[in-house]
Structure formats: structure tokens, C-alpha cells
Amino acid sequence: MQIQTNGNGHKQSGRSARELDFAPAPVDVYENEQEILVVVDLPGVAAGGVDVSLDGSELTIEGRREGRSPARLRRTFTVPRSVDPDRVGATMDAGVLTVRLGKRDEVKPRRIAVESVD
Amino acid sequence: MLTLWNDWPSPWLGDPLREAGPFRDLRRQMDRMLEELDRHAPSAAERGGPRFTLEDKGEALEVRAELPGFRREELEVQLERSTLSVRGRREVSAPEGYVTHRRERRSIEIARAFTLPCRVDPEKASAKLENGVLTLTLPKLAAEQPRRIEVQVG
């Protein structure tokens, strides 16, 4: 599995012709205070067949399935600024991809200790 | 082909991740049209769940199904004479403490039975679950194996 992150906001162009070759896969998106989770069903796709890349605010997930029924898919999302490009990770399990997008520390809620003054 | 990657309605208002790319608007329109159609027709998952394919490989039958997120222990495969049955389920739920922004993946319960086109040897049957794809290899009984017939010169 490859995870690429590129913080400088550079965008690739000329992608539209290839886009037609890809079809969407079902995706769940969850969020808590620490991170955003993107979960994708990719049956038949091995860990080596997945590319996850974060280019500026654009998250791209691509999967390739080899073998008897080859397929390709791509989903692209715009992620909020709160995501820290250094805290992106992905795991593949039983044909399900989970991408974890950790948030920057400054956007996480902070617990402030209450001091007693008496 | 096993399954369409496609045709998943994506209701995604209020999503922190927005679908990007040149086809966003088109996809949005398509999604709306598909959702409109969905109201009148049951979805693929409601009709029959994951797709199964059966292929005759000559010496064996091969059955394949896309079952992402299924665990081995959640699948039950039975062979009785020429009836193959597959049962199983997967639950999709938000992880504890997370808010759900988008939910396209579904909980799936399968209970399928197939009549096989020929007799197979249950002793030699095997099942494999790999990367969310179930593959059953069902070798045919000797009497059902394809035979080559010599053409005699008369």
C-alpha cells in the first residue's frame, strides 16, 4: 500500500480522460475529536493494490483489482484544513480499506485543568 | 463480472469530505436520478445481496462472491447433494464515539441456496476467503468429468 501526502497544495491536471475508467465504491465517513475515518469496501483488492494520496486538501483513494474480474476504482474527496498530512494512515482488512486522517493538534479540544484558589 | 462497483447512492450533505473532481456535478445529478429510481425499485442489496458467479471450469465448478468485511467464522458453506448453500452476515455500524457523516456501506445478511448443474465431490470441495472474496472450488464427480471422444476414421 502506498500513502502519499503532499502539503503544498499542488494539483495535477489532465486527469479527466482517465477518470472514466474508474467507478465509485461504497464509502463510510466517520469523525470524532481526534480524526476522520474513511472506510471503503474494496473486495478482491489486496493491500498492494491500493493507493491513498493526500495532495493539498484533495484525498484520492484508488484501488486496483487483478485476476479474473479486474476492476479499478477511484474516489476523490476534499478534506477539511483540520487534517494533518503527517497523520494519515491506511489499513486493509478483508477487502475493506480504512483511512485514518488525524487532526492537527490546534483543532483538537483541549482539557484545561481547573485550579483551586483557596 | 462479479459485481458492479457502481450504483451506490451517496447522500452526502453535511459531509466533512466533499467529493471533488470534474465529474462532481454530473455525479450529483446521477445520484439524484438513481435515488429517485431507488424509491420505486428495490436496491441490488435488498433484492439479493452480493452477487454470486458460478463458472464451469471443466473438472470443477467455481463459485465466487464478493463479501468485503466478512469474517471466516461468520460464513457457513454447506453442500448437500447438488445443493450449495451459503449463509453469513456482516454488520456495519459507526465506531464507538464517532459521528457518522456518510453511510454507503450496508449491513449484509446472506442466505443463498443454489442448485449445482452437476454432481460434485463434497470430500474434495474447498473454500477460500481472500481480500473479501469467497471462492469455492467444487471438483466434479468422476462420472461428470468431461471426456474426450476420439473420432474414428471410418
Side-chain angles (χ1 to χ4, degrees), chain B residues 20-73:
Chain B
F23 290 95
R24 181 175 60 190
D25 292 339
L26 180 65
R27 180 174 289 164
R28 232 186 254 183
Q29 279 180 13
M30 296 274 293
D31 281 349
R32 237 174 266 142
M33 282 169 60
L34 285 170
E35 275 172 42
E36 193 64 35
L37 283 171
D38 262 0
R39 263 179 234 140
H40 305 291
S43 70
E46 285 158 351
R47 273 199 313 270
R51 284 186 183 204
F52 282 74
T53 51
L54 172 78
E55 227 179 307
D56 190 331
K57 312 287 274 184
E59 294 186 351
L61 300 175
E62 191 180 273
V63 177
R64 273 178 298 144
E66 291 188 354
L67 303 173
F70 279 71
R71 303 273 153 217
R72 212 162 49 125
E73 53 277 13

Side-chain angles (χ1 to χ4, degrees), chain A residues 15-97:
Chain A
R15 180 180 278 174
S16 54
R18 272 174 58 215
E19 194 115 9
L20 290 173
D21 297 331
F22 291 90
V27 173
D28 288 352
V29 179
Y30 305 106
E31 182 179 10
N32 70 3
E33 289 169 351
Q34 312 295 322
E35 62 182 3
I36 294 169
L37 285 185
V38 181
V39 187
V40 194
D41 279 344
L42 298 175
V45 176
V50 178
D51 284 342
V52 177
S53 64
L54 184 63
D55 189 357
S57 62
E58 192 176 282
L59 173 74
T60 303
I61 297 169
E62 285 188 15
R64 288 179 312 282
R65 179 168 60 190
E66 317 290 345
R68 229 161 268 139
S69 46
R72 292 203 290 174
L73 83 118
R74 167 187 282 169
R75 291 291 291 260
T76 309
F77 301 92
T78 302
V79 305
R81 287 172 177 276
S82 55
V83 168
D84 183 343
D86 293 329
R87 291 185 190 163
V88 178
T91 54
M92 194 73 198
D93 182 28
V96 179
L97 172 74

